[in-house]
Amino acid sequence: MKISIVGAGYVGLATGVGFASMGNSVICVDSDGAKVEKLKQGVLPIYEPMLGEHLQKVLEKGYFKATTNLSSAVRDSDIIFICVGTPSKPDGTIDLNFIEQASKDIGDALKDSGNQPVVVVKSTVVPGATEGVVVPIIERHSGKKAGADFGVCMNPEFLREGNALSDFFNPDRVVIGELDQRSGDVLERLYHDFKCPILRTSIKTAEMIKYASNAFLATKISFINEIGNICKRLGIDVYEVAKGIGLDKRISPYFLNAGIGFGGSCFPKDVRALIAIAKKIGYEPKLLESVINLNETQPLRLLELLKKHMPDVRGKKIGVLGLTFKPETDDIREAPSIKIVRELLKQGAVVKAYDPKAMDGFKKIFPKVKYCSAEEVLESDAVLILTEWDEFKKLDYLGKIVIDGRKIDEAKSARVYEGVCW
Ligand code: NAD
């Protein structure tokens, strides 16, 4: 099939490279010219395991192209995926600016085209946005009718950064929210070779499935962090407790890693957007608000523990190991490290930091931090572990003060060792 992808970020690239690897002809469009130039040369603009190797293969085979010219890319497509960002506004509501712009551009491009593609929203959008925002804009700009002249689906993405391509090839399920049966049939044909359940729903239901999934996972993390905070006071290792409860099939062992809270580009913004939409329609989502509130304060618990061993950090060298919200990505969006480093600097500490993939990105927010090797970070007065990168297991923590937010057991050899929830 001929596929175009609007937005070549984590989701757009994994989707584009994934479908191209399956023999489809893919054009990725991005408004960021520098990103597109890199892609054309086979260079991945983000860090994501396996994706770079696959990108080079599909480029060589001619199955993958990148461009800034949306109009030429979408004109001949059977399927157009919208994969642009949907960030939070300061009040927590979803910012649909990128979605609106992409919809306008797609509408303009379809105006003089005889093609009848299916437009698929893959970006995470609040229930009602595909039919209430995307469809009317495309109709207005193309002069064409959804369901007659072009198809519409909402196909939420569940991939995890750090595992994006492997999640693309092996999803737990594919959800197809369809405007009409033809649109759903076309998209289902694209997913024909996937060995997982395919769930066909209304568009609004598909949009809600994505929010409910992320809200549930965020809740599970805040839940185990709360149990961990109680365990810490009782002298119990929450990881043993998690093992014990995770053996219950109704609970499952996943997402029970207590620590300094969730971050990234999805959980915080998606839970906030769900809270905002619930309030807008007159419902007070108390559970979801608690999930966010607990997550706001969880990173700072590490600093409370540091205080036990170092009452005043002013002028002290505090080392930070790990800046990304999780390992195997370069993404620092809403990472707990941001809150922790900001607070340390505010209290007058000298911060030294190391991360295998995210130091360039972090430098843009915190130019005053001293970026160095992991070994140099260990030479600080105290060390905080903020991401569970594998390489941190091999460091020599002997004689150090370590406050661990991510359960690196090897760090227990430190002179002083404190785990945030254990
Ligand atoms: P991203 O910010 O990494 O990428 C978005 C890309 O879209 C950027 O490269 C930007 O330049 C481009 N763009 C913006 N407007 C454009 C336009 N009008 N035309 C062409 N390109 C445009 O975003 P992401 O992390 O890939 O997330 C995309 C969507 O998928 C979001 O809604 C997000 O919530 C959702 N999602 C993300 C993940 C994840 O792990 N990152 C997982 C599931 C779902």
Side-chain angles (χ1 to χ4, degrees):
M1 277 180 158
K2 286 185 187 163
I3 299 171
S4 54
I5 311 261
V6 181
Y10 292 86
V11 168
L13 281 175
T15 307
V17 171
F19 280 128
S21 303
M22 295 171 76
N24 296 287
S25 165
V26 174
I27 306 189
C28 258
V29 187
D30 205 286
S31 43
D32 180 339
K35 236 179 215 185
V36 168
E37 279 316 306
K38 279 190 175 169
L39 286 171
K40 283 181 178 168
Q41 286 156 28
V43 178
L44 210 57
I46 52 170
Y47 173 71
E48 183 57 51
M50 281 161 60
L51 200 55
E53 293 89 312
H54 277 74
L55 170 67
Q56 282 172 6
K57 278 188 203 153
V58 291
L59 273 172
E60 276 164 27
K61 286 186 182 159
Y63 291 158
F64 183 94
K65 291 197 173 80
T67 180
T68 50
N69 188 337
L70 183 140
S71 180
S72 68
V74 306
R75 261 162 194 272
D76 297 330
S77 299
D78 302 311
I79 298 183
I80 303 166
F81 281 101
I82 300 182
C83 299
V84 299
T86 49
S88 280
K89 287 188 193 161
D91 65 356
T93 57
I94 188 170
D95 180 347
L96 289 175
N97 269 326
F98 296 123
I99 290 280
E100 287 168 6
Q101 186 59 48
S103 306
K104 276 181 207 160
D105 295 345
I106 291 169
D108 288 339
L110 294 184
K111 194 171 180 183
D112 306 315
S113 135
N115 193 21
Q116 296 197 325
V118 176
V119 178
V120 181
V121 176
K122 202 173 234 322
S123 300
T124 304
V125 293
V126 287
T130 300
E131 286 158 293
V133 177
V134 175
V135 168
I137 294 179
I138 298 180
E139 284 184 333
R140 208 165 48 244
H141 280 257
S142 64
K144 295 189 171 170
K145 185 91 191 96
D149 304 319
F150 64 95
V152 181
C153 285
M154 200 280 151
N155 173 218
E157 181 52 62
F158 302 100
L159 62 76
R160 297 160 298 168
E161 282 178 22
N163 290 276
L165 202 57
S166 123
D167 285 351
F168 170 85
F169 287 122
N170 306 292
D172 290 336
R173 77 300 207 187
V174 168
V175 176
I176 297 178
E178 62 199 37
L179 185 73
D180 54 34
Q181 177 152 3
R182 187 195 88 89
S183 305
D185 287 349
V186 171
L187 190 55
E188 183 161 357
R189 222 173 300 137
L190 181 64
Y191 282 108
H192 181 263
D193 292 334
F194 285 69
K195 309 230 173 326
C196 68
I198 294 187
L199 185 66
R200 288 178 64 167
T201 68
S202 73
I203 286 189
K204 248 189 195 177
T205 305
E207 290 166 333
M208 191 58 176
I209 288 171
K210 174 63 191 173
Y211 277 95
S213 299
N214 275 1
F216 183 82
L217 294 172
T219 303
K220 212 171 167 188
I221 297 174
S222 274
F223 167 81
I224 199 65
N225 285 343
E226 181 140 287
I227 297 291
N229 294 343
I230 301 168
C231 282
K232 177 79 183 171
R233 284 169 167 76
L234 293 172
I236 298 167
D237 182 345
V238 67
Y239 275 72
E240 281 187 56
V241 175
K243 197 170 175 189
I245 63 174
L247 288 168
D248 186 327
K249 289 191 193 67
R250 294 167 302 176
I251 297 172
S252 97
Y254 308 109
F255 272 75
L256 288 177
N257 299 329
I260 46 174
F262 55 81
S265 68
C266 292
F267 289 177
K269 86 166 167 74
D270 291 348
V271 179
R272 276 192 225 116
L274 188 54
I275 290 172
I277 200 148
K279 285 184 167 173
K280 198 174 154 202
I281 53 173
Y283 178 77
E284 200 58 43
K286 291 189 188 138
L287 175 65
L288 298 180
E289 289 196 316
S290 300
V291 167
I292 288 288
N293 290 342
L294 198 127
N295 199 60
E296 292 285 325
T297 48
Q298 195 66 13
L300 300 177
R301 299 191 59 76
L302 213 62
L303 299 185
E304 285 167 26
L305 290 168
L306 175 63
K307 249 200 172 91
K308 264 171 60 179
H309 307 281
M310 196 175 278
D312 188 2
V313 295
R314 191 169 303 274
K316 292 277 190 330
K317 284 190 204 117
I318 308 296
V320 169
L321 287 175
L323 300 169
T324 52
F325 76 101
K326 67 170 181 178
E328 296 305 325
T329 181
D330 57 353
D331 200 345
I332 51 165
R333 291 180 280 187
E334 304 230 24
S337 59
I338 295 177
K339 243 182 218 133
I340 292 170
V341 168
R342 183 169 291 136
E343 186 58 29
L344 283 169
L345 292 172
K346 195 171 131 202
Q347 292 181 17
V350 177
V351 179
K352 294 166 75 177
Y354 168 75
D355 186 282
K357 296 289 171 197
M359 293 200 282
D360 287 344
F362 215 76
K363 243 177 232 169
K364 292 182 189 142
I365 317 177
F366 295 108
K368 284 197 180 135
V369 166
K370 183 175 179 329
Y371 297 90
C372 50
S373 67
E375 288 71 22
E376 282 173 86
V377 164
L378 283 175
E379 283 159 20
S380 309
D381 298 312
V383 176
L384 310 178
I385 303 178
L386 306 190
T387 317
E388 63 276 34
W389 284 100
D390 260 352
E391 62 184 82
F392 297 163
K393 294 179 184 162
K394 297 181 196 119
L395 297 174
D396 180 6
Y397 295 95
L398 272 179
K400 315 289 176 200
I401 298 178
V402 175
I403 318 291
D404 184 3
R406 297 297 189 187
K407 191 89 159 92
I408 300 283
D409 282 334
E410 290 74 4
K412 286 181 178 162
S413 59
R415 177 169 63 81
V416 173
Y417 175 87
E418 287 268 7
V420 67
C421 294
W422 54 90

